[in-house]
Structures are given as structure tokens and as C-alpha cells.
DNA sequence: CTGAAAGCGCTTACAG
DNA sequence: CTGAAAGCGCTTACAG
């Protein structure tokens, strides 16, 4: 008996809306018209409950305005599509909202994940370059030391004696690694805040600047040009991230690059593994490499 | 009677997994342990069916490697988060997969949307700069002519006489608009393929190049520099899109810019309106503006 | 603190 | 061609 507003049964509505065979064309039209009229849209949840549907991957990255995150997202999107996954995106601040919408989570969840949700059996989570270990989560770790040593050696060979490392106030792993590598080489690097303007940097009379990332490196390049400082003649500049756009600026920015396609691939592999059940080897290591361009 | 593997009822599992009160701590632990053991994760669909949950916006953009799409995505992500929406992303090719995962769709759905799904009462759809009109869909239209005229006037004032427009093989709206504007000014522009290398362009001895977009503009800038051609002295170059990075290249790229934040806002407004029911005014117009930098 | 019942909105057989 | 029944996996009252 139970009738829909169109005066037909639920099954018939299903047939009309899903364009299935075995329905009178007239009936279909009538149902569709009523649906349009009532602004009816079938519920994803009702449908998902009874039809097999694509799994959804939650992707957590910072501001997409930064090509570093955008490039990673592009890779993950592509890999996910290949494997038949949908991708929901969120910034680290909104991870919570995302949990209800995804079957697994990947990305720079960073500090956003504490506390680990009362230990509830949450989704599979793969963290990229995370500040601490969360048991049960997959991890993509960055191996920075080797490439950083390459960069430091390169800088010293070019005559660097007074390097300045620009770092986040909270001291990032990348900053610490540079200090370590300079230290090994017997050079004391000065650390200053990541967004220190050249006007203030100049007082340290540095002959090399390690930017917090490539974007900050571009900023420095621009400021140095504005002040008539020659790069790399007077000051060498190295960035971190390996953005493709670094090839378009002048001078082209030397940088500690990471292969984001490899990061994405490793992350999705771990997701797959975690989806099977608690895995054994939950961490993958991806190395940086030092790319020499024109700014050093 | 119906028992779960943990030996308790479904309700008790719900209480444990959702960290709800009114459950014996021992029971909770036992349930969580079993859940972990069995790699159990609650179904999004079952839950979504009975709990109010965030709506999900489908966002369709091209390769995020292109900052144009990345910047739009960044804006949409932010606006969506403010309004409590989740965002699933897909490239135009994968729109179909996305439809089952979203409550509304926004973006460059372009040609991917034909045929319009057998007229089924699909989700609300808002198309950005779409090649044709789909009845019932919202549209964000770009108004290019005014800014294009500004650009053309500017180029002519700087002495341009032999402009070349680089366009997609399928002739884009942007390309046609430039031809129209040059035509109005009594100048015949030559059209060539968007990725024509400078080696071939040189044979036309152009004194201005209209790149297909900013990224292609960067490419041209680089090629011109490699060939020792002075920009803007010998050849002027204008891009399309208004990417922020255009400010970092040398020379800084003049461009036909669009305010992507405004595009995003208009799109989400239309989604909201369509979600209420069939709206009246389904189109919003966003103008380009010509940004003069150093390459012209 | 724990469980039996009802229902969320769909689709998939199965009758007619 | 159309509809009545069953069930997908959850949560929300309601009993005990």
C-alpha cells in the first residue's frame, strides 16, 4: 500500500530514478516530474547501504595554495582514481569532520590527531612526516639527513662560511637536520625565524640562507633582488620541497626535493595494507635529494 | 538474542565504539579489543542513515598541479568548511564516480557532463565557465571581453602590430575573445596551437604573444630568454588566469586575471540556492581584469 | 549496565 | 509493468 507522492510504490521510483528497464515510459515521466517538483534526491546513505560503492579516502593537506600540497594532492587523486577510491579533502584543522566521511585517512594529520580519539577503533590512518608516532597508524617518514649533508657540502664548497637557517618558531625537523649537518662540518649556523625579512638578515651578514621552504625561498630571492644583492654571488639560497616552479624563478632555486609521487604511492600502499588488517611494517621511508640549480 | 562476535548486543558495540556513557569499562575494553582484532570499522552508510551528518560537495577541477585549479580548490575547501560541508574531489574524467559520493557538484564539469544523465533528477550542479548551457544547472560565467579589450588596447599602445594568439585546437572562448578584440581594433591576429614552440613562432615574427594560460606564458618566457629575445622589448607576452606565481617569474607576467575567491563564493551560493529547490536566476557572472606587470 | 524493537532510505529478489 | 516483503548496518528510544 505505502505510496510515494507520485502515487506509485518505492520500487517504481527506484526504477524511474535509476533509469532501469521494466517500467512504463509514461510512469517514468510522471515519477521524474514529481521528483523534480519536490526537489527529490536519493539518499547516498540508503543507497550505499545496499549497493556496493566506491570507498572514500580522506586526504589531509595544508593550504592548496602551496604547490607542495597541491602536487601531493594531485598525485594522490590520480592514484586513488586508479584504484577506484573517491577522495574527500580537508585541512588539518578539520580532520574531525572528515572522519565520518572517509573509510581511511592519509596526510599531514600532524598535531591534529591528538588525542588519538580515546583509543576507539578508528579508520586506517597513514600519516606523512608526522611529528610523533601514533601506534597503529601507518607512517611515511622523510629521510632528510643524507640530502641535507649533500646540500651542506655543496654550500661549503662554494665558499659558505656564515650560513643562516630560517626555521619555524617550533623548530622543525628540517631545521634541526641542517644544524646537525653544518655542525658535523664544523660550521656554526645561526637560526632565525622563518619569515625574517632581509633587512634583519643582513645584519648577520650571511653568505647562505636556508629557507624554510621553497615558497619562502622565492620570497627571499625577490627581496634580495630588490636590495641589489647578487645570488648566488653574494648570498646563496636553498629552499626545501622541490617545487617544480622553482625552475621558473630567477635565479632557479636550488632545493631539498622530495618525490611526492613516491610519497603518494607509499601512502596508498600502506592504506591498502592497513585495510587488510593490522599490518606488520607500518612505516615507509622516502628520501629527499638535493637538487642543484642556480641559486647556489 | 542476536549476538555480535564480541558476545554482546549491537547496541553495546555502538556504545563502546562511539565512546558513549552507560557502559561498563570492562565491557567496553572487551568490545574494542574484539573490534581491533576483527578490523571492524562502522559503516558510514549505516551511520549516515540514522545520524544527521555533514553534506558533501563534489568539486571537479583539472590537474591540481596547475595553480589555477589548486587556488580555486583552496578557496572552495575553505568556504565549504565554513558552511560545514565536506568536499570530494575528482578530475573531469571521473565525474561519474563522484556523483554517488556527493550531495551537489561544482566545478569544471565541462564536456564530462554530456549526455545530461538521461534527464534523471540528479544532484544540484553548478558549472564554472561551461562550454554550453545545461538546463537546470547553475552556471558561473566569465566575462572576458572587457578585460580583453583592456589588454588589447594596452598591447597596441605599446606598439604591437603582429600579435599571435596561442589557443587550444578546439578554439577556446578566451581565444575567440582575443580575436574579437583585436578585430575591433582593426588588427589581424594569427592563431596557432597553444603549445607551439618559439622556434616555430619566430617564423611569424610576432611582437606580442597571448599565451593559452599563465603556465604556458611561463613556458614562453623561459624559451624567449633561452633564445635571447627581450621581453617586453622585442616581444610582449600576456598570460591568462592571474596566477599569484606570475609575480615571481622574470619578467613578471602580465595577465588576464580572475578572482577565484569570488568564483568560489558565487558557486557555493548557487549550490545553496539550488539545494533549496529549482531557482530562478541560475547564473552568476564574474569578470576578468587585466593585470599589467612587466612582460608587456 | 545491557538488550529487544523499531526505523533511517534505499535496492534486490520475488509475486502477481 | 507494478508492488509487498526482506534486509543492508547503524542508532535511538524504551524495557529490564
Amino acid at each position: 500500500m505505502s505510496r510515494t507522492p507520485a502515487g506509485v510504490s518505492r520500487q517504481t521510483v527506484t526504477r524511474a530514478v535509476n533509469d532501469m528497464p521494466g517500467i512504463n515510459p509514461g510512469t517514468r515521466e510522471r515519477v521524474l516530474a514529481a521528483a523534480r517538483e519536490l526537489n527529490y534526491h536519493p539518499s547516498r546513505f540508503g543507497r550505499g547501504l545496499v549497493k556496493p560503492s566506491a570507498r572514500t579516502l580522506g586526504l589531509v593537506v595544508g593550504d592548496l595554495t602551496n604547490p607542495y600540497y597541491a602536487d601531493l594532492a594531485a598525485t594522490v587523486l590520480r592514484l586513488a582514481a586508479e584504484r577506484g577510491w573517491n577522495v574527500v579533502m580537508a585541512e588539518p584543522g578539520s580532520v574531525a569532520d572528515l572522519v565520518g566521511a572517509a573509510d581511511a585517512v592519509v596526510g599531514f594529520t600532524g598535531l591534529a590527531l591528538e588525542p588519538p580519539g580515546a583509543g576507539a577503533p578508528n579508520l586506517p590512518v597513514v600519516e606523512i612526516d608526522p611529528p610523533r608516532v601514533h601506534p597503529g597508524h601507518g607512517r611515511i617518514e622523510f629521510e632528510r639527513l643524507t640530502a641535507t649533508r649533500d646540500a651542506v657540502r655543496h654550500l661549503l664548497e662554494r665558499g659558505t662560511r656564515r650560513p643562516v637557517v630560517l626555521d619555524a618558531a617550533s623548530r622543525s625537523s628540517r631545521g634541526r637536520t641542517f644544524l646537525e649537518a653544518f655542525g658535523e662540518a664544523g660550521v656554526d649556523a645561526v637560526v632565525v625565524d622563518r619569515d625574517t625579512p632581509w633587512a634583519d638578515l643582513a645584519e648577520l651578514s650571511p653568505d647562505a640562507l636556508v629557507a624554510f621552504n621553497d615558497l619562502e625561498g622565492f620570497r627571499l630571492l625577490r627581496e634580495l633582488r630588490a636590495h641589489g644583492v647578487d645570488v648566488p654571488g653574494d648570498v646563496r639560497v636553498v629552499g626545501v620541497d622541490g617545487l617544480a616552479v622553482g625552475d621558473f624563478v630567477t635565479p632557479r632555486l636550488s632545493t631539498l626535493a622530495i618525490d611526492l609521487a613516491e610519497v603518494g604511492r607509499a601512502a596508498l600502499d600502506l592504506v591498502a595494507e592497513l585495510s587488510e588488517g593490522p599490518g606488520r611494517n607500518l612505516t615507509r621511508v622516502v628520501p629527499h635529494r638535493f637538487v642543484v640549480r642556480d641559486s647556489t
Side-chain angles (χ1 to χ4, degrees), chain A:
Chain A
M1 268 288 78
S2 68
R3 283 274 140 85
T4 61
V8 299
S9 67
R10 307 196 39 60
Q11 299 86 297
T12 299
V13 174
T14 289
R15 289 184 189 105
V17 166
N18 293 345
D19 204 24
M20 301 168 99
I23 177 173
N24 182 306
T27 311
R28 159 172 299 142
E29 268 323 308
R30 197 150 30 86
V31 173
L32 292 182
R36 218 148 17 215
E37 168 78 25
L38 297 166
N39 197 33
Y40 165 78
H41 304 293
S43 150
R44 289 185 289 120
F45 299 113
R47 180 174 285 164
L49 212 44
V50 344
K51 298 203 81 159
S53 65
R55 295 175 68 75
T56 297
L57 179 69
L59 175 61
V60 180
V61 291
D63 187 358
L64 286 178
T65 276
N66 184 337
Y68 177 67
Y69 292 121
D71 286 0
L72 177 65
T75 293
V76 170
L77 240 40
R78 188 137 311 155
L79 292 171
E82 280 171 13
R83 302 172 191 208
W85 287 64
N86 280 125
V87 177
V88 267
M89 301 223 2
E91 299 207 355
S94 327
V95 176
D97 322 347
L98 181 150
V99 163
D103 300 303
V105 173
V106 148
F108 297 89
T109 47
L111 302 167
L113 239 53
E114 346 255 357
N122 264 315
L123 332 177
V125 174
V126 175
E127 303 185 74
I128 301 177
D129 190 28
R132 18 182 158 299
V133 176
H134 293 120
H137 290 184
R139 321 166 35 85
I140 309 292
E141 276 176 11
F142 290 172
E143 196 282 291
R144 288 191 176 86
L145 187 54
T146 308
T148 303
R149 282 175 175 148
D150 292 343
V152 163
R153 187 177 323 117
H154 169 90
L155 286 173
L156 297 180
E157 282 169 9
R158 303 290 166 115
T160 297
R161 292 297 172 265
R162 294 179 309 281
V164 170
V165 174
L166 291 86
D167 196 8
S170 55
R171 288 299 160 269
S172 69
S173 150
R174 66 187 76 183
R176 275 185 269 109
T177 308
F178 264 102
L179 289 190
E180 181 181 343
F182 276 118
E184 287 173 1
V187 174
D188 276 338
V190 178
V191 187
V192 300
D193 208 59
R194 57 179 280 190
D195 47 14
T196 307
W198 169 250
D200 298 342
L201 290 169
E203 296 177 9
L204 303 167
S205 50
D207 52 15
L209 300 174
V210 177
F212 180 72
N213 59 22
D214 283 355
L215 248 30
E216 293 286 333
F218 300 158
R219 194 259 301 170
L220 289 170
L221 254 24
R222 202 169 37 164
E223 288 193 38
L224 288 165
R225 183 164 55 215
H227 285 83
V229 180
D230 183 52
V231 177
D234 300 328
V235 176
R236 288 159 278 284
V237 178
V238 10
V240 175
D241 282 350
L243 301 186
V245 268
D247 237 336
F248 290 94
V249 298
T250 309
R252 293 153 62 237
L253 184 66
S254 296
T255 182
L256 223 60
I258 191 140
D259 183 341
L260 291 174
E262 189 178 344
V263 171
R265 215 174 310 118
L268 286 230
D269 285 352
L270 268 181
V271 166
E273 207 161 297
L274 282 170
S275 298
E276 304 297 318
R280 338 114 206 292
N281 184 4
L282 294 176
T283 123
R284 296 281 186 283
V285 177
V286 179
H288 277 260
R289 64 184 204 292
F290 181 54
V291 176
V292 184
R293 293 200 282 228
D294 305 331
S295 67
T296 52

